[in-house]
Amino acid sequence: SADKIELFSYPIRPASMTYDDVTHLSAKIKPKQQKVELEMAIDTLNPNYCRSKGEQIALNVDGTCTDETNTYSSKLMDKQTFCSSQAASNVSRYAAAVYRKGELHLTPLHGILQLRPSFTYLDKADAKHREREAANEGGDSSQDEAEDDVKQITVRFSRPETEQARQRRVQSYEFLQKRQAEEHWVHLHYYGLKDSRSEHERQYLFSQAHGLAENTELIKSPSEYLMMLMPPSVEEENDKPVAPSNVLSMAQLRTLPLADQIKILMKNVKVMPFANLMSLLGSGTDSTAVLRCIQQVAMLVQGNWVVKSDVLYPKDTSSPHSGVPAEVLCRGRDFVMWKFTQGRWVVRKEVAAVTKLCPEDVKDFLEHMSVARINKGWEFMLPYDEDFVKKHPDIVQRQHMLWMGIQAKLEKVYNLLKEHLTPKKQETQSGHPLVVSGEQRVNMAKARVKQNYGQLEKEFQKQKAELKSNDASAKMDISNIRIKEEPVSDEEPMDTLAYEGMNNGVVNGLHAEEDSMDTLNGHLPGGCGDRVAQELKAFVSSTFKKQFVLTLSELKRLFNLHLASLPPGHTLFSGISDKMLQDMVLDTGCKQILVPFPPQTAASPDELKVYALWEAGDTYDQHRQVLLEIFSKNYRVRRNVIQNQLSQECGEDVNKQEVDRVLKDCCVSYGGMWYLKGTVQS
């Protein structure tokens, strides 16, 4: 299927194909023939373009007539077709390599296609030439001849085509050429080198499992290396008893790489505390390596690890109940997982109403990670793992950033209401299951009061003596003395007040303040503000030098992507709020552009905030400033209005290349109109 084709620009690209001045790209995909045809526009205004040759080629191909069948409608050779061929039959030993910060990242290749120029237009030119010669010869001979004699015509009826004859005809070269010519061109969506989508796709070339040298096949023991050089014979393998395909013993499991072990365990168990996972992997396993691997296949929910949806529902699969594709199933299961990050309980009817999935699929999601309770709903099956949250705050913070991105995506897809986003108080208070009766709780509270009474009395008498000895204060105001309640210990169950205080501080291992006003990261700890500010300023400065114009929503998305690529424990994980991010944007020389959006816009508040780099230090600063002033008065503008305004403000010598450069930096075209980047409302 070639309904939607996308091409992303990478830093390494063939020198013969430069996409900077591309006006349009089209493509044909032929899955059965494993071929690709790419049609790319030629810049006819380039000084290196030979106009006379282009006109001559177009004349030879199309002739002097003008109709819809012409190859070159502009009377110039303004496009070139590239046809693919297989560069190698076996590409299993090839990989794409990217070198960054002393690390070599390899991505295996499943196919290599070489694009070469197609010269089918020369065949059309020869066919036109032969037709003209035949017409001239036929015209000369007809002048010498008299009226055509009446000839007898014999009508013959073709015999029915047999199946053998039909197969030969379908496999013939003429039939394949005809089918190839009838195939429609599909417009190719191209994203430039500096586009955010290209940057996002380039992240897939870098491995997230940093430092996993022990999991690579480059470091093996002598016996394992000998086994790789001389694998056991087929007869020896056949002698071993064959186990079912879905059964794997622990001995066989521990022969696999660590990442595969964790993936298999999580895929079968689905929900597991980190301590249980370490016990299954055996003694001597490095917990740091396990933490790096587990984040590739699972997400943190209430301090426990839950397998990712795309691991259970791989691409190109579908639901066994309803036939819904895997992408929709993953989205619905992510919604259930996200709901459990907000509280202990989930209602099945609410999930079905939001996701619009069949009851069987919703039940599968809930059974993966929760237990049904009569007249209450579905409760998360494992208790909150407070020990893991305390020991690994950097992992918790990183997972929180990932959940923030998933939440933003779910809000757009499902149009979530405010009551869906705000956790209920009852759910929040049930973060830890209460298993202690009321009478036991009262008795324990009385015991704590008796235990602490002596110490509190001593402190009270000490304060009273100090106040009496002070000449300035003759009397003591007892009402100013407050007795501080002692917090509940980890081993004892909590009473209501202590529990509420704890829950106000932590929800799923994260501070509730992070999910309230500034929803990005929380607050900065003391002592690291300067370092964090420097890192944040470097990110904002480099991002705006590439993009020039960004909405707050897009900037936050790029920042989350940047955080995901950073190693654990980086200074930026200490917490960046929305306000800090916006203040840093203004401090780096950017300005907020007050775009007059239409009243009926459905954009979110973050999408309505548009920031632009006011001075980049190049020769186009004045042009961009004039362009931004135009968009502070108009939501969408035609190109001729922009060009006229630039000519008035920057002089009459503004050429087309300068206008194109400024528009490319700051704007996008849609429906014949120009918009600032990120402000197009489809």
Side-chain angles (χ1 to χ4, degrees), residues 336-388:
V336 175
M337 293 170 63
W338 172 76
K339 288 291 291 182
F340 277 119
T341 65
Q342 306 297 302
R344 294 283 303 175
W345 298 89
V346 168
V347 180
R348 179 174 172 179
K349 289 183 179 179
E350 180 185 352
V351 175
V354 172
T355 60
K356 309 297 184 186
L357 293 172
C358 72
E360 290 79 7
D361 289 332
V362 175
K363 186 179 180 182
D364 285 349
F365 300 157
L366 294 170
E367 287 178 344
H368 289 168
M369 62 193 85
S370 58
V371 180
R373 306 294 186 192
I374 299 175
N375 297 329
K376 289 187 177 181
W378 292 76
E379 184 185 13
F380 194 70
M381 63 171 56
L382 295 179
Y384 186 88
D385 193 349
E386 191 173 353
D387 291 338
F388 180 84

Side-chain angles (χ1 to χ4, degrees), residues 580-596:
M580 291 175 59
L581 189 61
Q582 295 178 71
D583 292 344
M584 186 58 69
V585 170
L586 298 176
D587 289 343
T588 53
C590 299
K591 289 188 177 182
Q592 183 174 359
I593 310 302
L594 301 177
V595 180

Side-chain angles (χ1 to χ4, degrees), residues 17-280:
M17 296 179 66
T18 303
Y19 301 124
D20 293 336
D21 298 320
V22 167
T23 56
H24 77 273
L25 287 169
S26 300
K28 285 184 181 179
I29 305 296
K30 302 177 176 60
K32 293 184 179 179
Q33 295 142 8
Q34 295 183 349
K35 290 181 65 178
V36 176
E37 287 185 11
L38 180 67
E39 182 179 279
M40 187 174 67
I42 299 176
D43 186 7
T44 58
L45 301 178
N46 194 292
N48 297 324
Y49 180 80
C50 183
R51 193 174 183 85
S52 61
K53 290 287 186 182
E55 291 176 350
Q56 185 63 43
I57 292 175
L59 181 63
N60 292 340
V61 174
D62 298 326
T64 56
C65 62
T66 303
D67 54 24
E68 297 179 356
T69 61
N70 283 1
T71 305
Y72 304 110
S73 58
S74 63
K75 299 298 181 182
L76 281 173
M77 184 183 176
D78 56 355
K79 57 187 177 182
Q80 174 69 53
T81 303
F82 294 85
C83 187
S84 71
S85 60
Q86 285 192 354
S89 58
N90 182 17
V91 297
S92 59
R93 58 194 181 97
Y94 292 97
V98 182
Y99 186 81
R100 184 181 71 170
K101 297 180 181 180
E103 297 176 347
L104 184 65
H105 299 259
L106 298 177
T107 303
L109 300 179
H110 300 286
I112 302 176
L113 295 179
Q114 183 178 14
L115 288 173
R116 296 179 177 178
S118 175
F119 301 100
T120 54
Y121 60 88
L122 297 179
D123 298 334
K124 294 181 181 179
D126 292 340
K128 290 274 187 181
H129 181 67
R130 286 193 296 268
E131 289 177 4
R132 285 195 292 269
E133 287 183 348
N136 293 334
E137 291 175 0
D140 295 338
S141 62
S142 63
Q143 295 176 0
D144 302 331
E145 292 177 0
E147 285 187 340
D148 295 335
D149 296 332
V150 178
K151 294 182 179 179
Q152 184 179 1
I153 299 175
T154 304
V155 179
R156 295 181 181 178
F157 296 93
S158 61
R159 291 179 298 177
E161 188 180 33
T162 62
E163 182 62 24
Q164 250 181 346
R166 191 190 69 80
Q167 290 181 358
R168 283 197 300 269
R169 180 177 60 82
V170 169
Q171 295 175 359
S172 65
Y173 177 77
E174 290 81 9
F175 183 80
L176 294 177
Q177 288 293 103
K178 183 180 178 182
R179 287 189 60 185
Q180 182 177 348
E182 291 175 352
E183 194 164 2
H184 295 291
W185 288 97
V186 178
H187 183 68
L188 193 66
H189 301 273
Y190 170 70
Y191 298 93
L193 181 62
K194 297 181 180 180
D195 192 273
S196 60
R197 288 290 303 276
S198 295
E199 290 185 358
H200 179 75
E201 291 294 323
R202 280 198 293 276
Q203 291 298 322
Y204 290 113
L205 295 179
F206 299 102
S207 172
Q208 301 299 325
H210 301 291
L212 289 180
E214 67 273 10
N215 294 331
T216 65
E217 293 186 358
L218 301 178
I219 300 177
K220 295 286 185 181
S221 63
S223 59
E224 291 174 335
Y225 187 71
L226 183 62
M227 185 67 69
M228 292 174 62
L229 293 177
M230 300 179 63
S233 62
V234 180
E235 291 77 14
E236 292 177 358
E237 292 181 353
N238 291 336
D239 293 339
K240 297 179 181 179
V242 179
S245 59
N246 61 340
V247 175
L248 191 65
S249 66
M250 291 302 295
Q252 292 174 323
L253 182 68
R254 289 175 181 173
T255 61
L256 300 175
L258 181 61
D260 293 339
Q261 294 183 45
I262 295 174
K263 183 176 182 180
I264 292 172
L265 286 172
M266 291 305 304
K267 191 173 181 180
N268 286 276
V269 181
K270 297 182 178 60
V271 183
M272 192 186 305
F274 185 72
N276 291 13
L277 178 62
M278 291 298 298
S279 64
L280 290 174

Side-chain angles (χ1 to χ4, degrees), residues 274-321:
F274 185 72
N276 291 13
L277 178 62
M278 291 298 298
S279 64
L280 290 174
L281 294 175
S283 60
T285 306
D286 184 14
S287 62
T288 305
V290 176
L291 281 173
R292 293 196 186 102
C293 291
I294 190 65
Q295 294 181 72
Q296 309 300 317
V297 296
M299 296 289 292
L300 193 66
V301 178
Q302 299 192 23
N304 300 282
W305 291 100
V306 181
V307 65
K308 287 184 177 180
S309 301
D310 54 5
V311 176
L312 292 180
Y313 304 109
K315 193 177 180 182
D316 299 330
T317 60
S318 59
S319 167
H321 305 294

Side-chain angles (χ1 to χ4, degrees), residues 283-509:
S283 60
T285 306
D286 184 14
S287 62
T288 305
V290 176
L291 281 173
R292 293 196 186 102
C293 291
I294 190 65
Q295 294 181 72
Q296 309 300 317
V297 296
M299 296 289 292
L300 193 66
V301 178
Q302 299 192 23
N304 300 282
W305 291 100
V306 181
V307 65
K308 287 184 177 180
S309 301
D310 54 5
V311 176
L312 292 180
Y313 304 109
K315 193 177 180 182
D316 299 330
T317 60
S318 59
S319 167
H321 305 294
S322 59
V324 173
E327 181 182 0
V328 181
L329 292 176
C330 292
R331 201 159 51 212
R333 188 174 180 274
D334 287 345
F335 175 74
V336 175
M337 293 170 63
W338 172 76
K339 288 291 291 182
F340 277 119
T341 65
Q342 306 297 302
R344 294 283 303 175
W345 298 89
V346 168
V347 180
R348 179 174 172 179
K349 289 183 179 179
E350 180 185 352
V351 175
V354 172
T355 60
K356 309 297 184 186
L357 293 172
C358 72
E360 290 79 7
D361 289 332
V362 175
K363 186 179 180 182
D364 285 349
F365 300 157
L366 294 170
E367 287 178 344
H368 289 168
M369 62 193 85
S370 58
V371 180
R373 306 294 186 192
I374 299 175
N375 297 329
K376 289 187 177 181
W378 292 76
E379 184 185 13
F380 194 70
M381 63 171 56
L382 295 179
Y384 186 88
D385 193 349
E386 191 173 353
D387 291 338
F388 180 84
V389 172
K390 288 181 178 179
K391 291 179 182 177
H392 306 282
D394 53 338
I395 301 294
V396 173
Q397 183 69 17
R398 186 184 183 92
Q399 288 291 311
H400 176 59
M401 297 303 306
L402 295 176
W403 277 119
M404 293 274 305
I406 294 174
Q407 177 181 340
K409 188 184 297 183
L410 293 174
E411 288 179 20
K412 290 185 178 180
V413 173
Y414 291 132
N415 296 321
L416 298 180
L417 302 176
K418 191 172 183 181
E419 54 265 22
H420 294 141
L421 301 176
T422 306
K424 298 178 181 178
K425 186 175 182 182
Q426 182 180 359
E427 294 175 349
T428 306
Q429 291 181 353
S430 59
H432 295 270
L434 301 179
V435 294
V436 183
S437 65
E439 185 179 356
Q440 290 175 328
R441 194 160 49 201
V442 170
N443 293 334
M444 287 168 27
K446 289 180 179 179
R448 286 197 301 272
V449 170
K450 291 180 180 179
Q451 180 181 357
N452 298 329
Y453 178 77
Q455 182 180 357
L456 294 174
E457 183 66 24
K458 289 180 181 179
E459 292 179 0
F460 176 75
Q461 294 297 336
K462 185 178 179 181
Q463 286 185 355
K464 187 176 179 180
E466 290 176 355
L467 289 174
K468 282 185 178 180
S469 63
N470 192 355
D471 297 333
S473 58
K475 295 183 179 181
M476 178 186 67
D477 187 6
I478 301 179
S479 63
N480 290 333
I481 300 177
R482 295 180 298 173
I483 299 176
K484 181 181 178 182
E485 291 183 7
E486 289 294 320
V488 183
S489 64
D490 292 338
E491 292 80 8
E492 296 173 344
M494 306 168 208
D495 59 25
T496 307
L497 294 176
Y499 180 72
E500 286 181 355
M502 187 206 68
N503 236 350
N504 290 333
V506 177
V507 177
N508 193 22

